[in-house]
Amino acid sequence: MKEILDAILASDTTAADFAALPIPESYRAVTIHKDEADMFAGVPSRDKDPRKSLHLEDVPVPELGPGEALVAVMASSVNYNSVWTSIFEPVSTFGFLERYGKLSPLTARHDLPYHVIGSDLAGVVLRTGPGVNKWKPGDEVVAHCLSVELESADGHNDTMLDPEQRIWGFETNFGGLAEIALVKSNQLMPKPDHLTWEEAAAPGLVNSTAYRQLVSRNGAGMKQGDNVLIWGASGGLGSYATQFALAGGANPICVVSSPQKAGICRSMGAEAIIDRNAEDYRFWKDEHTQDPREWKRFGKRIRELTDGEDVDIVFEHPGRETFGASVYVTRKGGTIVTCASTSGYNHEYDNRYLWMSLKRIVGSHFANYREAWEANRLIAKGKIHPTLSKTYRLDETGQAAYDVHRNLHQGKVGVLALAPQEGMGVRDRELRDKHLPAINRFRNV
Ligand SMILES: NC(=O)c1ccc[n+]([C@@H]2O[C@H](COP(=O)([O-])OP(=O)(O)OC[C@H]3O[C@@H](n4cnc5c(N)ncnc54)[C@H](OP(=O)(O)O)[C@@H]3O)[C@@H](O)[C@H]2O)c1
């Protein structure tokens, strides 16, 4: 592995040099173990501790197949799906690997007693499989996390609709929280030149998801002037949704849970901010009963911030706890676009407010290659910035996932894989210097 790292750190390594590097037999990876899938049985979700289930260990390098690439991972990041995997909720990810493994002899490689997790990476291509022409050893890349087979016609308008669509590093093995990752070559995108490895690895999953959910025609199709209610506006998804709203001429109404988080949203340029803790919204009277008076109080607060207007789009992901309020506060003809259910997936809302006011609920999930590419392009051009707040070492991934599970983090949490320290990998200093305050916005909070 040292030889690989030396080649990446040297400035004069050619593609041929990279291609000639020997691939090690094993690599260090963050894993969960199949025989521990019941380790948290009976423990409340909140108390399930990723530090107990996530391991750092040596695993064999997988065989490289057609259309695939082996990538030396310099940095990765923790997403909420790393939390779901590590607490085995809502289901153990080994079920995904078993099902995928049944598809073909090649996919059978993924069905193992351990799962290498992680759905983001920034690094360098080491080897490409047969049929890969666009990428070569030595290319500096990031990877988006859409894995598709595309053998069916269904996925050929929008690859997210492929029946064999999976999230790499969550529903497939050999993910990015490791020194080496296996990806399909159509997951690769150019690494933004002005960013460090850890900054480049941070946006991937959430930035692409927020792009489809909010901007793309497949999601809410946001337009100039739209009022956009963004839950968790300084979190992983929300910190990108807020930037897309601002950059696209919309008006974000940012919901957060502390003055500190409100401050970050303000520093991004948002003006309408609601601190849900300070204003103490209680949308549920008890586990089974919602309180429409609280929806109304929330709606009134939004109108105070928008000169009396209602929201065109709600950027939803908390799910059960907020969904009733989200449907209520959306304007007539508006859109509630949802990609998750962090607080529970059995949503309840008053359907009269939906049908009588001709609102739409749109489901959105990750992004197709084109959407991920467009989202990455905006990062590369310095129009949208990474929201990295803190970076951990690979052996601290359990702690990083714990922080995200407990909502102790801001924006995105990075993880160094092969990169020996933060701050490396910048190729365009001029563009970086131009945007440095924005790139570091989440760092010192
Ligand atoms: N379908 C997809 O493709 C996709 C992609 C990415 C993420 N996701 C899912 O989306 C969810 C959020 O991901 P993320 O990366 O943004 O996580 P995150 O970094 O933890 O941010 C989510 C934010 O939502 C707010 N929040 C959490 N629970 C809430 C509640 N009960 N009521 C109101 N606000 C709440 C919190 O902000 P405040 O405390 O400041 O309010 C939190 O910081 C996760 O469930 C994740 O698995 C889905």
Side-chain angles (χ1 to χ4, degrees), residues 80 84 205-206 209 231-232 235-237 256-257 261 276 317-318 321-322 339-340 342-343 365-366 407 409:
Y80 215 94
W84 295 126
L205 182 148
V206 283
T209 305
W231 290 104
L237 286 169
V256 290
S257 62
K261 291 180 171 184
R276 66 183 171 101
H317 51 88
E321 201 160 314
T322 55
C339 77
T342 314
S343 65
H365 185 39
F366 188 60
N407 199 13
H409 67 300

Side-chain angles (χ1 to χ4, degrees), residues 182-263:
L182 180 76
V183 297
K184 291 183 188 285
S185 68
N186 60 15
Q187 287 176 245
L188 296 175
M189 309 190 289
K191 170 188 167 287
D193 284 338
H194 67 302
L195 298 180
T196 64
W197 297 110
E198 61 280 4
E199 288 162 358
L205 182 148
V206 283
N207 184 42
S208 310
T209 305
Y211 182 86
R212 178 180 177 110
Q213 189 177 351
L214 189 57
V215 180
S216 166
R217 275 174 293 180
N218 290 316
M222 184 192 80
K223 63 181 189 331
Q224 290 178 31
D226 278 350
N227 291 321
V228 184
L229 181 75
I230 302 172
W231 290 104
S234 73
L237 286 169
S239 57
Y240 294 91
T242 301
Q243 292 188 69
F244 285 130
L246 289 165
N251 312 316
I253 296 112
C254 296
V255 187
V256 290
S257 62
S258 71
Q260 204 182 24
K261 291 180 171 184

